[in-house]
Structure formats: C-alpha cells, structure tokens
C-alpha cells in the first residue's frame, strides 16, 4: 500500500510532507492501518478523465480491510467523479482524507436518468470520517440555470426536477465531516438522512447568493447531530432541519448571505414531521432573508418543540425571528384536508441582538388551528439597520418575555395556550 504521487519526482517533498502529516493525524498510532491513495486505483486527477471507477474501487478496498483504513485523495489534483453510491458498513473505521479537489460533471445531461438526485452518495456507512482540507465542488451552475426557482422568461425552459444532493449520507452512523470546503452544489451541499451520531465541523460551505436550493447543511430525520464552527454562505438555508430530527446542536456558525437557519418546512404534503431538542448558540447571521425560522406547511402533522436559539448576533437580516405556520383558520384535525396542525411550542429565544433589514424584526405567524405555545423571548434587542425601532407581529402566538425585549413583544399570555395545546398534544411530559 502506498501513498500517491510516487510517480512524480517533483512532488516528492509534498509526498513526504503529506505522509508525515498523515502519520501525525492518525490517532492511536499503534493500531494496524491500511493506507490507500486514489491514484493507486488508476485515478488520473486532471479534471477531465473519468475517475469514478477508481473511487469505487478504492472505496471497496478501503471498506473491506479489517483494520483502520485511510483513503487519500491527493492534493493539487482534480478528480472528476460521476454520480456514485458508496455503500457500507465497512469492516472497520474508515478515514477519507480529501486534500485535492473532487469535481462534478458540469452538464446535467451527463447525469444518468436513474441517478439524478445524487452525486456523492454514502449509503449505510458507519464510522467514517472525512477531512483533509480539500474541496468538493458540485459545479452546479447549469443545474441552477435550468431550475424554475431561478427567474426565467416565457421563452426559456425550466424544470422543477430536484438537482443532485452533492454530499449525501443516508442511513449512516458515526459520521464526521471536518475541515473541508463544499462549494457550488447542484442542490444541498451536505445532507444527512436518517443518520445518527454526526459531526459537521470546521467546514466552509459556499455558493452564489442566487443559486437556487443550495442549502448548506440539510438534516433530515437524523439524531445526535453536531454542526459547529462553520462558515456558510449559500443561496438557500445555511442549515435546515426537517423530518423526524432530534438532538441537533448548532454552535459557532457564521451564516449569510442566504436564507438563514431553518427548522422546516415541516409537514409538507400532509406528512408527519417531529423536530425536537434542537439547541443553537453563538451564531452570526448577516444579510440573510431569515435569521432563525420555523416553518410549517398548513396541512401537515407533527410538531416542532423544545428548541433553543441562544446568543445570536444578527446583521441586516430581513426576518430575524420568524415562525410561519401559513396560518389557516380551518380547525380540521391533523392530516385532514385543509387543517393546519404541525404544532409549535416550547421555543426559547435568548440573547438575540442586532439589526433587521425590515421594520418587522419578529414575526410569529401561527395558525388558528394550532396556535404557537410557550414561546419565550429573553433579552432580545433587535433594531432596524438605521437605528429606528423595529416592530413585532403576532397571530395566535402565546408565551412570555424575560428581561429586556425589543421590539416590545406582542405575545399573548400562556395560560390559555396550555389548555388549547393540551387538547392537541400527545400528552408527553415537559421538562421545563
Ligand atoms: C464514468 O465512469 C463510471 C464508472 O465506471 C461509469 O458508470 C460512467 O458511465 C462513466 N461516465 C462517462 C460519461 O463515461
Ligand atoms: C429570454 O431569455 C433568453 C435567454 O436568456 C433571451 O435570449 C431572450 O431575449 C429573453 N426574452 C425576453 C422576452 O426577455
Ligand atoms: C424547450 O423544451 C422543448 C421541449 O422539450 C424543446 O423543444 C425546446 O427546444 C426547448 N427550448 C429551449 C429554448 O431550450
Ligand atoms: C416520522 O415518524 C412518524 C412516526 O414514527 C412516521 O409516521 C413518519 O413517516 C416519519 N416521518 C418522516 C419524514 O420520516
Ligand atoms: C408534494 O406533492 C406534490 C404534488 O403531488 C409533489 O409535486 C411534491 O414533490 C411533493 N413534495 C414532497 C416533498 O414530497
Ligand atoms: C441589507 O439587506 C437588504 C435586503 O436584503 C439589502 O438590499 C441591502 O443591500 C443590505 N444592506 C447592507 C448594508 O448590506
Ligand atoms: C439595543 O440595541 C441598540 C443598538 O445596538 C442599543 O443602542 C440599545 O442601547 C440597546 N438597548 C438595550 C436596552 O440594551
Ligand atoms: C423606540 O423604543 C423605545 C423603547 O421602547 C421608546 O422609548 C421610544 O420612544 C421609541 N422611539 C420611537 C421613535 O418610537
């Protein structure tokens, strides 16, 4: 087993440095390990040749070894990879060390019909860490252009077809993605679907402000997810949490431009979504459409509860604090046509300061069918960018304020809500 670059004498020094780095970075150095390089499997890395098979073969080899395996994507090269699914579980821990660039084909026409939603797709993998300082570039320009979410005139065609999720982990456990750059994704940059024990730290995630649907980190029905120390600037949400997700922690994230941090849309097409135990703090959100948002579809089921947004600095954010339930006055129960019933409750906003790009800094637009309950605003101070007072809007929103709250809160008192929420609630105990 060798590290790459051997065939190129002029890179010897870089090779040695890389090898030393690898050794330094490997924990528990005494354990057996297998070192592999993508180049050993015939990858060319010139950005033109199709290196997909090399990646597939390298992954199979790394995955099959009985000891810790270490798969290196060499620096200063660009590996063109077609949509691919890499499956697990592997025999032991796997480390994917990306020092170079992994790039996607530019034309959507190059995507096989059966694979259009995916690019780098990991399925059923356990104990994988991805790191290395390299770049995963979706080169999504042509996907954005054809998306109907980009403005088009009548003579131009567009499509509602979902573009590929760039780096997608599905049904995975023990995944760590650290210290790489994800950019210009066709759709969401980094997605976790039905995963647990996930870390996504020290990432740089960027795409243009007007690239459609390019969510930074998308968490779908996953639990125990830590997203920390990231710089995210995309055309859609910096982080979006949907499905049945629980125990998600965000910390030290710089977000913007883009659409901000979002829980939801929950309950699309009358589906059941339950998002709870979400904690975020130390966020800097600037020049985004929303700051922290909870969004539910009118005819869905489920709940968003036990959420804490703390220590957030907003700068020129259009909707710094927003809950949007697309309120409907229909009282038909959850799942029935026309009834809004994704419940929203126990949401705490603590220590949120900064500026709003619009006059209305706080929007609690809740539904008549399922009013928002137990909202807490504590030490909130949002003003307009020009220093003027901002305002708050409430519809069917109940809760309390603690400390200084500016703009002055319009929350209704909570007692009434306890009763209303009690009727629709699942009766689960509260820890507050
Ligand atoms: C690239 O290689 C992969 C794996 O061999 C193959 O499935 C795919 O069709 C190739 N793409 C092109 C455009 O040749
Ligand atoms: C529509 O867009 C096409 C391509 O961008 C452009 O050539 C054309 O002039 C546009 N038509 C109108 C009516 O704006
Ligand atoms: C739009 O789509 C139609 C049908 O697929 C096709 O015939 C036409 O050439 C397309 N127009 C443009 C401008 O791409
Ligand atoms: C969430 O969980 C519920 C109940 O377990 C299930 O019915 C629903 O399909 C799940 N939703 C998603 C998006 O997985
Ligand atoms: C919701 O339903 C519509 C219409 O059937 C469909 O186009 C859309 O893709 C569905 N959305 C989801 C997230 O399933
Ligand atoms: C503030 O946000 C608005 C709306 O997004 C934008 O038009 C404006 O340029 C921003 N101002 C600054 C100083 O960035
Ligand atoms: C709220 O923030 C504004 C602008 O930063 C500041 O001038 C003001 O003193 C703050 N008010 C309180 C009560 O902290
Ligand atoms: C702005 O809000 C502060 C605090 O609530 C209030 O004292 C002041 O009169 C308001 N200014 C204007 C112009 O409404």
């Amino acid at each position: 087993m060798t590290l790459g670059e051997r065939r190129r004498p002029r890179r010897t020094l870089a090779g040695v440095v890389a090898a030393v780095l690898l050794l330094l970075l490997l924990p528990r150095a005494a354990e057996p390990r297998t070192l592999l390089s993508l180049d050993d499997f015939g990858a060319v890395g010139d950005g033109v040749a199709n290196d997909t098979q090399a990646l597939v073969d390298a992954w199979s080899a790394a995955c099959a070894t009985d000891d810790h395996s270490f798969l290196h994507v060499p620096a200063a090269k660009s590996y063109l990879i077609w949509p691919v699914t890499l499956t697990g579980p592997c025999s032991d821990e796997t480390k994917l060390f990306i020092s170079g660039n992994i790039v996607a084909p530019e034309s959507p026409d190059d995507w096989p019909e059966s694979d259009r939603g995916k690019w780098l797709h990991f399925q059923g993998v356990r104990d994988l860490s991805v790191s290395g300082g390299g770049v995963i570039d979706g080169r999504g320009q042509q996907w954005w252009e054809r998306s109907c979410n980009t403005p088009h005139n009548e003579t131009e065609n567009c499509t509602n077809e979902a573009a590929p999720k760039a780096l997608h982990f599905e049904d995975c456990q023990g995944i760590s993605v650290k210290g790489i750059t994800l950019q210009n994704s066709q759709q969401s940059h980094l997605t976790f679907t039905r995963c647990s024990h996930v870390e996504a730290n020290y990432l740089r995630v960027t795409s243009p402000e007007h690239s459609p649907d390019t969510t930074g980190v998308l968490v779908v029905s996953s639990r125990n997810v830590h997203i920390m120390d990231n710089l995210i600037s995309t055309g859609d949400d910096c982080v979006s949490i949907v499905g049945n997700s629980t125990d998600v922690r965000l910390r030290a994230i710089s977000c913007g431009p883009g659409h901000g941090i979002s829980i939801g849309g929950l309950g699309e097409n009358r589906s059941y979504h339950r998002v709870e135990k979400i904690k975020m703090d130390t966020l800097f959100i600037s020049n985004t459409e929303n700051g922290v948002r909870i969004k539910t579809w009118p005819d869905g089921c489920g709940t968003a509860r036990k959420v804490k947004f703390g220590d957030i600095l907003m700068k020129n954010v259009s909707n710094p604090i927003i809950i949007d339930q697309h309120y409907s006055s229909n009282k038909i129960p959850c799942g029935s046509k026309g009834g809004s019933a994704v419940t929203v409750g126990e949401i705490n906003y603590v220590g949120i300061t900064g500026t709003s790009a619009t006059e209305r800094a706080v929007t609690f637009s809740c539904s008549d069918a399922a009013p928002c309950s137990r909202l807490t605003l504590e030490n909130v101070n949002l003003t307009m960018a020009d220093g003027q007072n901002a305002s708050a809007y409430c519809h069917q929103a109940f809760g309390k304020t603690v400390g200084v709250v500016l703009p002055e809160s319009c929350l209704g008192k909570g007692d009434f809500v306890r009763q209303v929420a009690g009727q629709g609630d699942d009766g689960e105990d509260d820890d507050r």
Side-chain angles (χ1 to χ4, degrees):
M1 323 281 167
T2 76
L3 288 168
E5 320 281 358
R6 288 225 170 133
R7 278 154 260 151
R8 299 185 180 216
R10 70 194 166 82
R11 289 241 184 85
T12 304
L13 181 59
V16 170
V17 171
V20 168
L21 263 179
L22 300 193
L23 293 175
L24 287 176
L25 287 161
L26 282 168
R28 292 164 294 179
E31 289 184 23
R33 57 185 174 263
T34 303
L35 306 183
L36 306 167
S37 164
L38 201 51
D39 289 358
D40 298 337
F41 295 83
V44 178
D46 63 357
V48 179
N50 182 354
D51 288 331
T52 315
Q53 196 58 46
L55 177 61
V56 169
D57 294 344
W59 173 261
S60 302
C63 200
T65 52
D66 281 331
D67 41 46
H68 291 193
S69 58
F70 194 101
L71 174 54
H72 189 216
V73 177
K77 289 186 161 192
S78 207
Y79 297 89
L80 178 59
I81 306 293
W82 258 262
V84 66
T85 294
L86 303 174
T87 53
C90 299
S91 309
D92 203 336
E93 282 179 39
T94 310
K95 287 186 166 35
L96 178 57
F97 198 79
I98 303 172
S99 309
N101 300 298
I102 292 181
V103 301
E106 288 186 275
S107 171
D109 299 334
D110 285 342
W111 250 254
E113 210 48 56
S114 54
D115 284 341
R116 296 187 73 80
K118 78 179 192 201
W119 179 35
L120 306 172
H121 178 223
F122 288 84
Q123 172 72 51
V125 173
R126 283 166 162 241
D127 300 324
L128 167 68
S129 77
V130 180
S131 62
V135 178
I136 293 180
D137 189 345
R139 303 202 293 181
Q141 180 75 35
Q142 292 183 36
W143 290 96
W144 308 331
E145 280 168 7
R146 61 205 288 285
S147 166
C148 294
N149 291 337
T150 298
H152 283 88
N153 65 36
E154 300 95 53
T155 61
E156 296 171 303
N157 288 334
C158 73
T159 173
N160 284 311
E161 175 194 38
K165 292 177 164 64
L167 180 55
H168 186 190
F169 295 91
E170 207 168 0
D171 302 302
C172 292
Q173 195 180 320
I175 304 297
S176 150
V177 182
K178 278 188 193 163
I180 60 170
T181 294
L182 295 146
Q183 67 190 31
N184 301 323
S185 177
Q186 305 88 343
Q187 198 203 145
S188 57
H189 289 78
L190 174 58
T191 308
F192 299 99
T193 304
R194 294 181 303 276
C195 291
S196 65
H197 300 90
V198 169
E199 286 182 12
N201 303 345
Y202 307 107
L203 302 175
R204 200 186 132 85
V205 183
T206 64
S207 53
E209 188 175 352
H210 296 293
S211 54
D213 305 316
T214 51
T215 295
V217 183
L218 176 60
V219 177
V220 187
S221 297
S222 294
R223 65 194 162 85
N224 232 303
V225 178
H226 286 196
I227 302 172
M228 300 186 182
D229 301 293
N230 300 311
L231 204 63
I232 306 176
S233 141
T234 68
D236 204 315
D237 297 331
C238 290
V239 178
S240 173
I241 302 166
V242 298
N244 292 326
S245 292
T246 181
D247 290 303
V248 179
R249 185 95 169 78
L250 269 66
R251 161 163 250 174
I253 293 174
S254 167
C255 164
H259 295 179
I261 309 258
S262 186
I263 293 177
L266 303 179
E268 188 176 4
N269 289 347
R270 285 180 223 156
S271 54
Y272 180 100
H273 287 185
R274 186 180 187 91
V275 171
E276 59 188 342
K277 296 190 204 149
I278 311 295
K279 203 170 163 189
M280 346 191 152
D281 67 79
T282 325
L283 310 180
F284 174 59
I285 305 179
S286 64
N287 296 302
T288 51
E289 194 176 284
N290 306 291
V292 288
R293 170 171 63 164
I294 297 176
K295 183 174 113 178
T296 69
W297 292 84
D299 49 4
C301 317
T303 188
R305 66 201 280 266
K306 293 189 199 295
V307 178
K308 180 177 175 185
F309 300 106
D311 296 317
I312 302 177
L313 178 60
M314 308 265 184
K315 195 179 154 209
N316 196 39
V317 172
S318 297
N319 300 292
I321 292 177
I322 178 166
I323 296 178
D324 181 4
Q325 283 197 303
H326 296 275
Y327 57 96
S328 121
S329 56
N330 209 324
K331 294 207 184 208
I332 299 167
C334 169
S336 306
K337 198 172 179 182
S340 168
V342 177
T343 62
V344 175
E346 293 169 79
I347 315 293
N348 295 290
Y349 300 89
V350 183
I352 301 187
T353 58
T355 58
S356 175
T358 64
E359 198 244 330
R360 192 195 279 177
V362 178
T363 302
F364 292 134
S365 177
C366 301
S367 80
D368 293 332
C372 298
S373 65
R374 280 192 267 176
L375 309 180
T376 304
L377 290 165
E378 180 174 348
N379 299 330
V380 171
N381 181 5
L382 295 164
T383 56
M384 287 183 67
D386 61 7
Q388 296 206 36
N389 288 350
S391 70
Y393 169 86
C394 295
H395 180 87
Q396 296 284 30
F398 300 90
K400 63 175 182 188
T401 64
V402 180
V404 173
V405 173
L406 295 171
E408 212 167 296
S409 160
C410 51
L411 288 176
K413 292 285 173 258
D415 292 356
F416 158 74
V417 176
R418 236 164 229 281
Q419 295 162 16
V420 174
Q423 291 165 15
D425 225 349
D426 53 14
E428 221 175 273
D429 286 334
D430 283 309
D431 61 5
R432 282 179 54 89

